[in-house]
């Protein structure tokens, strides 16, 4: 099938607003729609559980499916469910869901199972299911997952084949790739631009000093968290080292204290404005966060142009970003339209047009430079709407190819910004993006992402040998403390605005607020420089090869790695030591700009017993 220039490998249609119904998971005695909600709840609830800001095993869809299916099988005896009965039940559910009262019954079942499986506290189960159920049922109805596929997922391959996320490829132009032309160092005295980078602000309007930072809910330090035991202090005034987000005063302190880090030529702002109370959010809540924080940015940055990208927390339910062909109340039009209105002073008409359609845009902030803001929710493992169709949603990657080819034809350079890093995306999306970056290595001058809340990077290599670094994606640390981090922000030094500029990153600086000091009685917040990349790591420049070499230097130099580990956590690392598997997994992640690609780390791990270290790819639980 071909769609928007994208080829999918399946023999039957994968997408379209008129496709059949999704039949996801089930329980024979109570109805099987729990599966659909189970798809969302493990990602949206289980991953809230604080485990410290350090690497965890990868938890993509297959791992989540397997874990939850096993729980359901053990709990409800699904091992005894026959294949014909399973298919019959899924077919019956399809008809039953055409009746609205059954949606409420499904929600009731999901709440019971959420409590039984202890996915979250009971009150969170209740609120989350009620928030998710309508969208999840709509996804179920529209998806192409057949009874055979659903039962293959549930009971094994002998009952059917489960292949929701099959592979697909974008089409690249027939124009031959130019010979690689590494950027030359700028001449002494050449202009240098400073770009402020903000990401993952996560404003919690219910943050309350003195409340329990270790409550049972997925987000604490807020009204409803209760008071801590007498033996433990409550939440600090400016923030807390726990599973807590930020009060507005801390974000205002950040923005009002930017002076020593400036002046800035531009601002890249890659989303995640609302807090992590994702079980209890409304569209009104999300729009309040969008407009309040946007107004704060405008207040303190004044005439400096700001270029935003859409985060996964901007919508509600969280991670729910349907492709543009989903219309009506389920569409994301309410969000994109509000963004277009809020950001109109910063974006030209051409950018506002595609923002309103799919949450992405391109513009030219200065001569010779094109900025592309991607909606990375269309690559997200947690975007349950992609169960309908994960093949280049919204045609965004094909659009990206067109933008890059046009930039190459003009001789322009391109910066790409987005929220979720490419290495954290669904496999086919990630591999296609990787191929695009490799094809346009002379054009892509910089990539900038957030989402993980920690300070890291992802190196891209040529596809032929996977040995020549061609690009690097910088993953900047979060403003929020969630989980157990100092608040922070990033400043990039870029080859400046002049004819022939490479527009590449020359260096970067990270600034933090030390919460221990800020929360002392009578203290005032002081945002200070934590480190400069080239100086701290001894880099000759900030080009891809330098970051590649840094990873291999850290493999053999544990002291250098411990410096990286400290800065990775914005100066507040976990108390647990990072042993050899943790260290190799962390280093592997810096080389893994495409998802599920063990070959990227093949030279990093000399010990054969650790050859699958890529499967330990760090994926912090607070995205």
């Amino acid at each position: 099938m071909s769609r928007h220039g994208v080829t999918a490998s399946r023999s039957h249609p994968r997408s379209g607003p008129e496709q059949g119904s999704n039949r996801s998971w089930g329980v024979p005695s109570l109805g099987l729609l729990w599966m659909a909600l189970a798809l969302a709840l493990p990602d949206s609830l289980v991953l809230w559980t604080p485990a410290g800001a350090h690497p965890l095993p990868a938890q993509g869809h297959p791992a989540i499916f397997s874990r939850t299916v096993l729980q359901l099988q053990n709990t409800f005896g699904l091992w005894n469910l026959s294949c014909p009965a399973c298919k019959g039940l899924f077919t019956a559910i399809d008809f039953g869901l055409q009746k609205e009262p059954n949606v409420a019954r499904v929600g009731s079942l999901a709440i019971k199972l959420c409590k039984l499986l202890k996915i979250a506290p009971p009150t969170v189960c209740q609120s989350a299911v009620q928030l998710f159920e309508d969208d999840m049922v709509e996804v179920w109805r529209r998806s192409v997952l057949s009874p055979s596929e659903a039962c293959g997922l549930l009971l094994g391959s002998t009952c059917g084949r489960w292949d929701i996320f099959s592979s697909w490829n974008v089409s690249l132009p027939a124009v031959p790739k130019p010979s690689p032309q590494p950027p030359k160092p700028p001449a002494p005295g050449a202009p240098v631009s400073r770009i402020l980078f903000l990401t993952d602000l996560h404003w919690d309007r219910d943050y309350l000093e003195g409340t329990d930072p270790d409550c049972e809910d997925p987000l604490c330090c807020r009204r409803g968290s209760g008071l801590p035991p007498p033996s433990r202090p409550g939440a600090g005034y400016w923030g807390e080292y726990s599973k807590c987000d930020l009060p507005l005063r801390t974000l205002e302190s950040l923005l009002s204290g930017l002076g020593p880090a400036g002046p800035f030529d531009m601002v890249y702002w890659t989303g995640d404005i609302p807090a992590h109370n994702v079980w209890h959010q409304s569209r009104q809540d999300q729009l309040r966060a969008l407009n309040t924080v946007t107004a704060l940015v405008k207040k303190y940055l004044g005439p400096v142009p700001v270029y935003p990208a859409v985060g996964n927390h901007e919508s509600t339910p969280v991670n729910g970003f349907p492709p543009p062909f989903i219309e009506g109340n389920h569409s994301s039009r309410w969000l994109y339209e509000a963004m277009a209105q809020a950001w109109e002073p910063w974006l030209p008409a051409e950018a506002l047009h595609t923002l309103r359609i799919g949450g992405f845009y391109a513009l030219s902030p200065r001569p010779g430079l094109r900025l592309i803001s991607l909606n990375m929710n269309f690559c997200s493992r947690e975007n349950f709407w992609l169960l309908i169709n994960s093949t280049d949603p919204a045609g965004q990657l094909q659009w990206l190819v067109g933008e890059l080819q046009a930039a190459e034809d003009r001789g322009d350079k391109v910066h790409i910004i987005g929220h979720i890093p490419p290495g954290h995306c669904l496999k086919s999306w990630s591999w296609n993006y990787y191929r695009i970056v490799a094809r346009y290595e002379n054009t892509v001058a910089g990539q900038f992402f957030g989402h993980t809340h920690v300070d890291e990077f992802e190196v891209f290599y040529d596809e032929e040998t996977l040995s020549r670094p061609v690009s690097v994606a910088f993953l900047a640390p979060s403003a929020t403390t969630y989980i157990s981090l100092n608040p922070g922000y990033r400043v990039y030094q870029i080859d400046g605005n002049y004819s022939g500029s490479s527009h590449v990153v020359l260096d970067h600086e990270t600034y933090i607020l030390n919460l221990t000091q800020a929360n002392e009685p009578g203290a005032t917040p002081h945002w200070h420089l934590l480190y400069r990349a080239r100086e701290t790591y001894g880099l000759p420049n900030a080009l891809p090869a330098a970051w590649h070499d840094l990873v291999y230097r850290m493999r053999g130099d544990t002291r250098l790695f411990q410096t990286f580990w400290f800065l990775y956590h914005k100066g507040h690392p976990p108390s647990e030591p990072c042993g050899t598997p943790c260290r190799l997994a962390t280093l592997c992640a810096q080389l893994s700009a495409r998802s599920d690609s063990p070959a990227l780390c093949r030279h990093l791990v000399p010990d054969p017993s650790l050859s699958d270290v890529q499967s330990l790819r760090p994926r912090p639980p607070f995205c």
Side-chain angles (χ1 to χ4, degrees):
M1 182 197 71
S2 178
R3 178 175 175 268
H4 299 297
V6 181
T7 302
S9 63
R10 292 185 69 164
S11 60
H12 63 275
R14 292 286 325 253
S15 63
E18 303 304 324
Q19 293 297 336
S21 300
N22 169 25
R23 305 109 172 141
S24 284
W25 304 35
V27 179
S29 60
L30 298 174
L32 295 174
L33 187 60
W34 161 248
M35 174 183 166
L37 285 159
L39 295 177
L41 292 178
D43 279 338
S44 301
L45 298 177
V46 172
L47 291 183
W48 297 340
T49 305
H54 53 86
L56 295 177
Q59 297 189 30
H61 277 297
I64 291 169
F65 290 162
S66 300
R67 183 179 68 245
T68 309
V69 166
L70 183 61
Q71 287 178 307
L72 293 173
Q73 287 171 331
N74 290 336
T75 302
F76 293 95
L78 294 187
W79 297 111
N80 299 321
L81 180 64
S82 71
C83 184
C86 177
K87 292 179 180 179
L89 283 169
F90 273 98
T91 302
I93 285 172
D94 217 16
F95 289 104
L97 283 176
Q98 304 306 316
K99 300 181 179 180
E100 289 299 325
N102 287 348
V103 175
R105 293 173 191 158
V106 164
S108 177
L109 165 63
I111 291 168
K112 292 176 182 177
L113 288 175
C114 179
K115 294 176 181 178
L116 181 64
L117 299 177
K118 297 182 179 179
I119 290 175
T123 55
V124 174
C125 286
Q126 178 89 22
S127 298
V129 168
Q130 291 175 347
L131 180 61
F132 276 83
E133 64 184 0
D134 188 51
D135 279 19
M136 291 305 303
V137 168
E138 185 67 15
V139 169
W140 177 292
R141 288 170 172 160
R142 290 176 176 266
S143 155
V144 297
L145 187 61
S146 69
S148 176
E149 289 174 314
C151 294
L153 167 62
L154 192 62
L155 301 180
S157 59
T158 58
C159 189
R161 183 180 179 221
W162 174 58
D163 190 23
I164 298 177
F165 301 110
S166 57
S167 60
W168 46 271
N169 291 307
V170 297
S171 299
L172 295 178
V175 180
K177 177 181 175 179
S179 299
Q181 298 176 352
K184 298 177 181 179
V192 175
S193 296
R194 293 179 67 82
I195 298 181
L196 172 65
F197 192 90
L198 302 172
T199 191
D200 297 276
L201 276 61
H202 290 292
W203 165 47
D204 185 0
R205 68 187 183 95
D206 286 329
Y207 186 97
L208 185 61
E209 180 189 12
T211 53
D212 190 357
D214 193 31
C215 68
E216 69 169 4
D217 288 345
L219 182 65
C220 300
C221 302
R222 59 201 319 266
R223 294 178 178 86
S225 297
L227 296 176
S231 59
R232 293 204 313 264
Y237 183 78
W238 296 104
E240 188 57 57
Y241 295 125
S242 189
K243 49 178 181 177
C244 306
D245 282 322
L246 292 180
L248 194 64
R249 57 180 168 267
T250 307
L251 295 177
E252 188 159 15
S253 169
L254 185 161
L255 293 168
S256 65
L258 288 170
F264 308 111
D265 297 88
M266 296 184 290
V267 181
Y268 294 166
W269 176 20
T270 59
D272 269 16
I273 304 170
H276 284 85
N277 61 322
V278 301
W279 69 95
H280 197 266
Q281 292 176 335
S282 66
R283 291 183 176 181
Q284 182 180 4
D285 294 331
Q286 308 309 81
L287 296 182
R288 180 190 294 112
L290 168 69
N291 291 320
T292 300
V293 177
T294 297
L296 206 62
V297 171
K298 290 177 180 176
K299 174 182 177 181
Y300 287 102
L301 286 164
V304 180
V306 179
Y307 303 117
V310 182
N312 64 299
H313 275 264
E314 266 68 272
S315 185
T316 185
V318 65
N319 302 314
F321 287 82
F325 66 74
I326 301 296
E327 298 178 346
N329 192 50
H330 288 285
S331 78
S332 293
R333 187 178 301 275
W334 65 274
L335 178 61
Y336 299 150
E337 182 60 38
M339 288 175 169
Q341 293 179 15
W343 300 340
E344 186 173 12
W346 299 324
L347 305 180
E350 61 166 340
L352 293 171
H353 175 70
T354 53
L355 175 65
R356 284 185 163 100
I357 295 173
F360 53 88
Y361 63 85
L363 53 81
S364 298
R366 57 181 52 167
L369 178 65
R370 190 76 169 161
L371 172 67
I372 296 176
S373 177
L374 295 178
N375 185 347
M376 299 298 286
N377 294 292
F378 290 140
C379 83
S380 172
R381 301 170 186 267
E382 283 75 49
N383 184 359
F384 48 86
W385 286 95
L386 300 188
L387 289 169
I388 300 175
N389 171 37
S390 63
T391 304
D392 193 15
Q396 181 179 217
L397 283 183
Q398 204 65 58
W399 169 85
L400 172 64
V401 169
E403 282 286 338
L404 290 173
Q405 184 59 56
E408 179 181 278
D409 294 342
R410 293 190 303 265
D412 288 351
K413 301 300 181 182
V414 169
H415 285 177
I416 296 174
I417 65 173
H419 183 68
I420 300 171
H424 289 244
C425 293
L426 287 166
K427 181 175 180 178
S428 281
W429 201 103
S430 179
W431 283 53
N432 274 286
Y433 181 84
Y434 200 92
R435 182 162 65 103
I436 293 167
V437 169
R439 163 60 184 83
Y440 293 99
E441 63 174 285
N442 291 344
T443 299
V444 177
Q447 301 180 69
F448 309 91
F449 299 91
H451 184 62
T452 68
H453 293 201
V454 289
D455 186 346
E456 50 184 337
F457 55 90
E458 293 179 348
V459 180
F460 290 68
Y461 297 91
D462 68 293
E463 286 205 304
E464 292 75 18
T465 68
L466 292 181
S467 62
R468 181 175 61 85
V470 301
S471 188
V472 59
F474 294 98
L475 281 54
S478 62
T480 187
T481 57
Y482 197 91
I483 297 174
S484 297
L485 299 166
N486 283 310
Y489 65 90
R490 166 69 51 82
V491 177
Y492 291 101
Q493 297 179 37
I494 307 287
D495 194 8
N497 187 18
Y498 62 93
S499 178
S501 172
S502 67
H503 297 286
V504 298
V505 174
L506 303 176
D507 202 353
H508 67 64
E509 305 165 356
T510 298
Y511 294 78
I512 65 163
L513 173 66
N514 185 307
L515 280 180
T516 302
Q517 297 172 359
N519 285 330
E520 289 289 334
T524 55
H526 172 63
W527 296 81
H528 68 274
L529 175 68
L530 179 64
Y531 79 105
R532 291 186 177 92
R534 289 184 58 187
E535 176 185 23
T536 299
Y537 295 128
L539 303 176
N541 51 53
L543 298 177
W547 297 99
H548 165 91
D549 292 342
L550 173 62
V551 172
Y552 283 90
R553 283 196 286 133
M554 289 192 290
R555 180 184 64 177
D557 186 339
T558 55
R559 178 175 292 184
L560 180 61
F561 175 77
Q562 290 306 320
T563 298
F564 177 81
W565 188 243
F566 178 81
L567 300 174
Y568 179 91
H569 294 93
K570 290 182 287 179
H572 193 259
S575 57
E576 302 91 344
C578 184
T580 298
C582 164
R583 178 165 57 91
L584 290 175
T586 304
L587 295 179
C588 176
Q590 313 312 301
L591 305 180
S592 300
R594 70 182 186 188
S595 176
D596 190 21
S597 184
L600 295 172
C601 295
R602 68 186 187 278
H603 299 305
L604 182 68
V605 187
D607 184 351
S609 67
L610 297 173
S611 60
D612 65 343
V613 72
Q614 209 273 345
S615 67
L616 299 177
R617 183 187 188 349
R619 190 159 178 266
F622 32 74
C623 305

